[in-house]
Amino acid sequence: MKSALGLATRLRRVAVRRVAQAFVSSVLAAYATAPSSALAATVTLQASQDSYLEQATVSPNHGSESTLVVKGGTGPSAKRRALVQFDLSSIPACASVSSATLTLHLSSGTASTTHDVRALPESWTEGGVTWLSRDGTTNWLKAGGLDPALVAATSSAAIGAGAGPVSW
Protein backbone atom coordinates (compact mmCIF):
# COMPACT_ATOMS: atom_id res chain seq x y z
CA MET A 1 0.00 0.00 0.00
CA LYS A 2 1.02 3.58 -0.56
CA SER A 3 2.02 5.88 2.29
CA ALA A 4 -0.72 7.73 4.14
CA LEU A 5 -0.62 10.86 2.00
CA GLY A 6 -3.88 12.72 1.63
CA LEU A 7 -5.86 11.85 -1.49
CA ALA A 8 -5.50 15.34 -2.93
CA THR A 9 -1.71 15.31 -2.43
CA ARG A 10 -1.40 11.81 -3.83
CA LEU A 11 -3.53 12.49 -6.86
CA ARG A 12 -1.54 15.60 -7.78
CA ARG A 13 1.18 13.15 -8.74
CA VAL A 14 -1.06 11.19 -11.04
CA ALA A 15 -0.01 11.52 -14.65
CA VAL A 16 -2.95 10.94 -16.92
CA ARG A 17 -2.37 10.68 -20.64
CA ARG A 18 -5.12 10.34 -23.25
CA VAL A 19 -7.71 8.42 -21.35
CA ALA A 20 -10.18 5.89 -22.65
CA GLN A 21 -11.23 4.33 -19.35
CA ALA A 22 -10.40 4.70 -15.67
CA PHE A 23 -11.62 1.88 -13.50
CA VAL A 24 -12.75 2.34 -9.97
CA SER A 25 -13.59 -0.50 -7.60
CA SER A 26 -15.14 1.79 -5.02
CA VAL A 27 -15.40 5.56 -4.84
CA LEU A 28 -16.95 7.53 -2.04
CA ALA A 29 -16.55 11.15 -1.01
CA ALA A 30 -19.76 12.01 0.85
CA TYR A 31 -22.51 10.23 2.69
CA ALA A 32 -25.48 10.86 4.96
CA THR A 33 -25.40 8.79 8.15
CA ALA A 34 -28.90 7.30 7.85
CA PRO A 35 -32.02 8.05 5.81
CA SER A 36 -34.01 8.99 8.94
CA SER A 37 -31.26 11.18 10.36
CA ALA A 38 -30.97 14.89 9.69
CA LEU A 39 -27.22 14.67 10.33
CA ALA A 40 -25.06 14.62 7.23
CA ALA A 41 -21.30 14.32 6.98
CA THR A 42 -18.76 14.70 4.22
CA VAL A 43 -15.90 12.23 4.20
CA THR A 44 -12.80 12.40 2.04
CA LEU A 45 -11.08 9.07 1.49
CA GLN A 46 -7.62 8.35 0.17
CA ALA A 47 -7.01 5.49 -2.20
CA SER A 48 -6.21 2.24 -0.41
CA GLN A 49 -4.63 0.78 -3.55
CA ASP A 50 -3.98 1.80 -7.12
CA SER A 51 -2.19 0.55 -10.20
CA TYR A 52 -2.59 0.48 -13.95
CA LEU A 53 -2.88 -2.27 -16.53
CA GLU A 54 -0.89 -2.21 -19.75
CA GLN A 55 -2.05 -4.18 -22.77
CA ALA A 56 1.29 -4.02 -24.62
CA THR A 57 3.24 -5.68 -21.80
CA VAL A 58 0.71 -7.92 -20.05
CA SER A 59 2.94 -9.23 -17.24
CA PRO A 60 4.42 -6.24 -15.36
CA ASN A 61 2.76 -5.04 -12.17
CA HIS A 62 2.62 -1.24 -11.76
CA GLY A 63 1.31 -1.13 -8.18
CA SER A 64 4.42 0.48 -6.73
CA GLU A 65 4.61 3.29 -9.26
CA SER A 66 3.77 6.85 -8.19
CA THR A 67 1.75 7.67 -11.31
CA LEU A 68 -1.26 6.17 -13.00
CA VAL A 69 -0.84 6.01 -16.75
CA VAL A 70 -3.94 5.63 -18.88
CA LYS A 71 -4.37 5.58 -22.61
CA GLY A 72 -7.12 4.75 -25.05
CA GLY A 73 -6.81 3.49 -28.54
CA THR A 74 -7.90 0.87 -30.97
CA GLY A 75 -4.62 -0.91 -31.65
CA PRO A 76 -3.96 -4.34 -30.15
CA SER A 77 -1.47 -2.97 -27.62
CA ALA A 78 -2.70 0.59 -27.15
CA LYS A 79 -4.70 0.42 -23.94
CA ARG A 80 -3.61 1.33 -20.41
CA ARG A 81 -6.27 1.29 -17.68
CA ALA A 82 -5.98 2.88 -14.24
CA LEU A 83 -7.37 1.10 -11.20
CA VAL A 84 -8.16 2.92 -7.95
CA GLN A 85 -9.74 1.36 -4.87
CA PHE A 86 -10.98 2.88 -1.62
CA ASP A 87 -11.47 1.24 1.78
CA LEU A 88 -15.07 1.95 2.72
CA SER A 89 -14.97 0.21 6.11
CA SER A 90 -15.15 3.57 7.94
CA ILE A 91 -18.61 4.16 6.45
CA PRO A 92 -21.33 2.69 8.70
CA ALA A 93 -23.35 -0.14 7.17
CA CYS A 94 -26.53 1.84 7.82
CA ALA A 95 -25.22 4.90 5.95
CA SER A 96 -27.05 6.22 2.92
CA VAL A 97 -24.72 7.59 0.26
CA SER A 98 -25.98 10.93 -1.03
CA SER A 99 -23.14 11.64 -3.47
CA ALA A 100 -19.71 10.47 -4.50
CA THR A 101 -17.03 12.31 -6.45
CA LEU A 102 -13.70 11.08 -7.79
CA THR A 103 -11.16 13.78 -8.63
CA LEU A 104 -7.86 13.07 -10.38
CA HIS A 105 -5.26 15.56 -11.56
CA LEU A 106 -4.51 15.43 -15.28
CA SER A 107 -0.85 16.34 -15.55
CA SER A 108 -0.51 15.94 -19.32
CA GLY A 109 -2.68 15.36 -22.33
CA THR A 110 -2.32 15.72 -26.06
CA ALA A 111 -5.88 15.96 -27.33
CA SER A 112 -9.46 16.26 -26.23
CA THR A 113 -10.93 12.94 -25.19
CA THR A 114 -13.56 11.43 -22.91
CA HIS A 115 -12.58 9.73 -19.66
CA ASP A 116 -14.88 7.01 -18.34
CA VAL A 117 -15.16 5.62 -14.83
CA ARG A 118 -16.44 2.07 -14.53
CA ALA A 119 -17.01 -0.24 -11.58
CA LEU A 120 -14.62 -3.16 -11.75
CA PRO A 121 -16.63 -6.38 -11.21
CA GLU A 122 -13.74 -8.43 -9.75
CA SER A 123 -11.46 -7.85 -6.76
CA TRP A 124 -7.74 -7.18 -7.31
CA THR A 125 -4.55 -6.53 -5.36
CA GLU A 126 -2.16 -3.65 -5.87
CA GLY A 127 0.92 -5.87 -5.68
CA GLY A 128 -0.34 -8.55 -8.06
CA VAL A 129 -2.58 -6.94 -10.66
CA THR A 130 -1.53 -7.10 -14.33
CA TRP A 131 -3.35 -7.03 -17.67
CA LEU A 132 -3.92 -10.79 -17.35
CA SER A 133 -4.11 -11.34 -13.57
CA ARG A 134 -6.14 -9.65 -10.86
CA ASP A 135 -3.91 -10.70 -7.95
CA GLY A 136 -0.77 -12.34 -9.36
CA THR A 137 -2.43 -15.79 -9.24
CA THR A 138 -6.00 -15.59 -10.51
CA ASN A 139 -6.69 -14.44 -14.07
CA TRP A 140 -9.36 -11.86 -14.84
CA LEU A 141 -12.51 -13.27 -16.43
CA LYS A 142 -11.59 -10.97 -19.35
CA ALA A 143 -8.01 -9.78 -19.94
CA GLY A 144 -7.64 -6.14 -19.01
CA GLY A 145 -10.07 -6.33 -16.11
CA LEU A 146 -13.40 -6.21 -17.89
CA ASP A 147 -15.18 -6.00 -21.17
CA PRO A 148 -16.14 -2.32 -21.67
CA ALA A 149 -18.94 -3.43 -23.96
CA LEU A 150 -20.55 -5.30 -21.06
CA VAL A 151 -19.88 -2.88 -18.18
CA ALA A 152 -21.39 0.54 -18.78
CA ALA A 153 -19.56 3.67 -17.72
CA THR A 154 -20.68 4.95 -14.32
CA SER A 155 -19.63 8.46 -15.29
CA SER A 156 -17.81 10.23 -18.13
CA ALA A 157 -15.93 13.52 -18.34
CA ALA A 158 -14.86 15.32 -21.51
CA ILE A 159 -11.28 16.52 -21.12
CA GLY A 160 -9.34 19.03 -23.20
CA ALA A 161 -5.62 18.97 -23.81
CA GLY A 162 -3.47 20.17 -20.90
CA ALA A 163 -3.36 19.79 -17.14
CA GLY A 164 -5.85 20.26 -14.33
CA PRO A 165 -8.32 18.49 -12.08
CA VAL A 166 -10.87 16.11 -13.57
CA SER A 167 -13.95 15.08 -11.57
CA TRP A 168 -16.56 12.41 -12.10
Side-chain angles (χ1 to χ4, degrees):
M1 265 190 224
K2 305 286 189 259
S3 64
L5 297 173
L7 179 59
T9 301
R10 172 143 176 42
L11 293 178
R12 279 190 213 111
R13 298 185 334 218
V14 175
V16 179
R17 294 186 214 155
R18 301 177 62 214
V19 176
Q21 297 151 341
F23 295 91
V24 178
S25 299
S26 304
V27 178
L28 181 66
Y31 72 95
T33 58
S36 61
S37 172
L39 178 62
T42 298
V43 176
T44 300
L45 301 172
Q46 66 185 38
S48 58
Q49 53 181 4
D50 60 32
S51 188
Y52 69 91
L53 310 178
E54 188 171 10
Q55 187 178 21
T57 55
V58 297
S59 296
N61 170 268
H62 301 287
S64 63
E65 296 185 23
S66 62
T67 59
L68 296 174
V69 181
V70 291
K71 181 180 178 184
T74 57
S77 61
K79 293 177 180 60
R80 294 184 187 131
R81 297 176 175 162
L83 285 77
V84 182
Q85 187 174 60
F86 296 88
D87 178 1
L88 305 179
S89 63
S90 64
I91 308 300
C94 63
S96 174
V97 176
S98 61
S99 68
T101 302
L102 171 68
T103 300
L104 299 175
H105 184 82
L106 179 70
S107 61
S108 65
T110 57
S112 296
T113 189
T114 298
H115 302 247
D116 292 337
V117 172
R118 299 170 190 257
L120 197 57
E122 297 178 82
S123 63
W124 54 277
T125 62
E126 182 177 61
V129 70
T130 68
W131 186 264
L132 297 176
S133 174
R134 57 192 185 104
D135 59 9
T137 304
T138 308
N139 286 342
W140 296 105
L141 292 176
K142 170 108 174 139
L146 62 80
D147 185 346
L150 300 177
V151 179
T154 304
S155 184
S156 296
I159 311 302
V166 180
S167 294
W168 293 264

